Amino acid sequence: MSHASPWWTPDVHADRRPFLLGRNRIQSVLRRFFETRDFIEVDTATLQVSPGNEAHLHAFATEALNHDGTGHPLYLHTSPEFACKKLLAAGEERIACFAHVYRNRERGPLHHPEFTMLEWYRAGESYEALMRDCAEILALAAETTGTKQFIFQGQDCDPFAAPERLSVADAFERFAGIDLLASIAANGETDRDHLATTMAAAGLRVAHDDTWADLFSRVLVEKVEPHLGFGRATILDEYPTAEAALARPAARDPRVAERFELYACGVELANAFGELTDAPEQRRRFEMEMAEKARVYGETYPLDEDFLAALAIMPEASGIALGFDRLVMLATGAARIDQVLWAPVAETRA
């Protein structure tokens, strides 16, 4: 059985090199973008007490050894979010971070075990400010590479057009014929059976052991996401509170939260929040996420008590995580994420 040539062979590198040079140009331009807006670039530790507490994110675990050989677990972070929020608590107001992050069980055209996350935070500013940042960054990336259209898997998106803003509830109605908010109580609690009945009536698959979150995710992935970011970028806004563990509830409707995701060419590029700063509520949500992780995968990650303590003094803020490599893919015309990584992670074969 033959395998493709390694990425470091001269002919393969020659094919990849234009994408990689494009990556460097985009990173340089974005650094200037943030600098001119009074952001400070920060650099956070990769090793953390907790890698993050989302049920379906999988981390790489390691162990820190003391001089006497005793050890304690540490994890490669799945995002620099906890560290960045500690810096907001410390008094920083506008910060940006290009962080290498690590997610296990992920590899494919749009996924890599180690990738670069661009995160930025605005203390005292609404998450609508992040929407404006996203529109500017899409245009800036395209301008930097001389790209008129983002194209991925035959689908195109105009990076210079104003993004469409669409609520999750409106998207469920438009693309699946489902009244999502009818399955969510005023306090944010979800009604699994109501959503299951509505989905079954719409001809969608429902299994007896599906939770409300499972059902929500199925509609989102199968019916909604395939329509997002075509022609122009889409900002998918106002996620249900149950699907926004780190976001504060929207002032106009507590059933939904200040969370949006950015899509272009059907590719999810960024995930943003009006940040939750209620430490007891954050703890409750993390514990719910870890209970779900234990149910599905039989494992949990520790809570970062330092983070929860910092949250108590963190100012109101908005924050966003953008998959930098995916942005580079769209701006350079690469077909796979490994084409825009200078040195991809080795593939292990059984």
Side-chain angles (χ1 to χ4, degrees), residues 21-282:
L21 296 180
R23 174 194 181 94
N24 283 18
R25 289 198 301 274
I26 294 168
Q27 188 168 34
S28 177
V29 164
L30 290 184
R31 283 197 156 109
R32 285 201 298 276
F33 171 88
F34 287 109
E35 188 178 349
T36 58
R37 286 158 180 78
D38 298 322
F39 281 78
I40 292 172
E41 184 171 344
V42 301
D43 189 13
T44 62
T46 294
L47 288 169
Q48 296 287 338
V49 168
S50 172
N53 297 106
E54 293 180 48
H56 302 292
L57 279 188
H58 303 280
F60 290 87
T62 186
E63 185 179 32
L65 298 178
N66 301 314
H67 285 302
D68 63 2
T70 59
H72 59 275
L74 286 177
Y75 298 86
L76 300 181
H77 64 179
T78 58
S79 157
E81 179 171 7
F82 291 179
C84 285
K85 288 182 174 177
K86 290 172 187 176
L87 288 169
L88 294 177
E92 296 297 341
E93 295 184 344
R94 288 187 178 184
I95 57 176
C97 179
F98 283 95
H100 277 237
V101 299
Y102 306 83
R103 296 188 178 182
N104 221 336
R105 302 196 189 196
E106 294 192 13
R107 191 156 198 152
L110 288 169
H111 295 87
H112 204 73
E114 178 180 353
F115 62 98
T116 299
M117 191 85 89
L118 168 58
E119 293 201 7
W120 68 98
Y121 293 81
R122 291 175 171 269
E125 297 183 71
S126 75
Y127 81 145
E128 279 83 6
L130 302 176
M131 297 180 189
R132 295 190 288 273
D133 291 339
C134 285
E136 290 186 63
I137 283 171
L138 291 179
L140 200 54
E143 194 179 292
T144 301
T145 57
T147 301
K148 298 286 190 290
Q149 290 276 344
F150 288 167
I151 299 173
F152 183 72
Q153 294 183 347
Q155 302 288 349
D156 65 82
C157 170
D158 180 353
F160 300 99
E164 170 192 26
R165 186 172 174 181
L166 178 67
S167 75
V168 173
D170 286 346
F172 269 57
E173 183 65 51
R174 181 187 302 181
F175 301 122
I178 289 172
D179 183 350
L180 177 65
L181 296 183
S183 71
I184 307 174
N187 64 359
E189 287 188 10
T190 55
D191 184 336
R192 181 262 178 208
D193 291 341
H194 188 286
L195 183 56
T197 301
T198 311
M199 285 176 60
L204 290 165
R205 178 173 56 88
V206 175
H208 71 90
D209 59 345
D210 280 335
T211 64
W212 185 92
D214 293 332
L215 298 172
F216 172 86
S217 179
R218 185 170 304 134
V219 178
L220 188 68
V221 170
E222 294 181 8
K223 294 294 183 180
V224 174
E225 286 186 334
H227 298 281
L228 303 180
F230 300 129
R232 59 177 172 152
T234 300
I235 288 172
L236 188 66
D237 188 21
E238 294 188 342
Y239 275 68
T241 305
E243 292 296 315
L246 290 141
R248 59 180 174 239
R252 67 168 196 84
D253 187 344
R255 294 176 297 177
V256 297
E258 292 187 356
R259 175 189 174 189
F260 76 80
E261 292 198 336
L262 175 70
Y263 289 83
C265 301
V267 176
E268 179 202 332
L269 284 177
N271 188 18
F273 301 110
E275 302 293 355
L276 181 68
T277 53
D278 179 335
E281 173 63 11
Q282 185 66 86

Side-chain angles (χ1 to χ4, degrees), residues 253-331:
D253 187 344
R255 294 176 297 177
V256 297
E258 292 187 356
R259 175 189 174 189
F260 76 80
E261 292 198 336
L262 175 70
Y263 289 83
C265 301
V267 176
E268 179 202 332
L269 284 177
N271 188 18
F273 301 110
E275 302 293 355
L276 181 68
T277 53
D278 179 335
E281 173 63 11
Q282 185 66 86
R283 181 186 297 277
R284 186 188 71 82
R285 293 190 195 182
F286 279 167
E287 287 172 350
M288 286 177 60
E289 288 283 319
M290 290 301 91
E292 177 67 1
K293 189 172 194 67
R295 183 186 74 83
V296 178
Y297 304 107
E299 65 172 344
T300 63
Y301 300 137
L303 304 191
D304 183 341
E305 294 295 340
D306 247 12
F307 168 66
L308 291 167
L311 207 59
I313 63 167
M314 183 183 132
E316 293 290 307
S318 58
I320 184 166
L322 181 144
F324 178 67
D325 314 285
R326 290 184 179 183
L327 177 66
V328 172
M329 285 177 63
L330 295 182

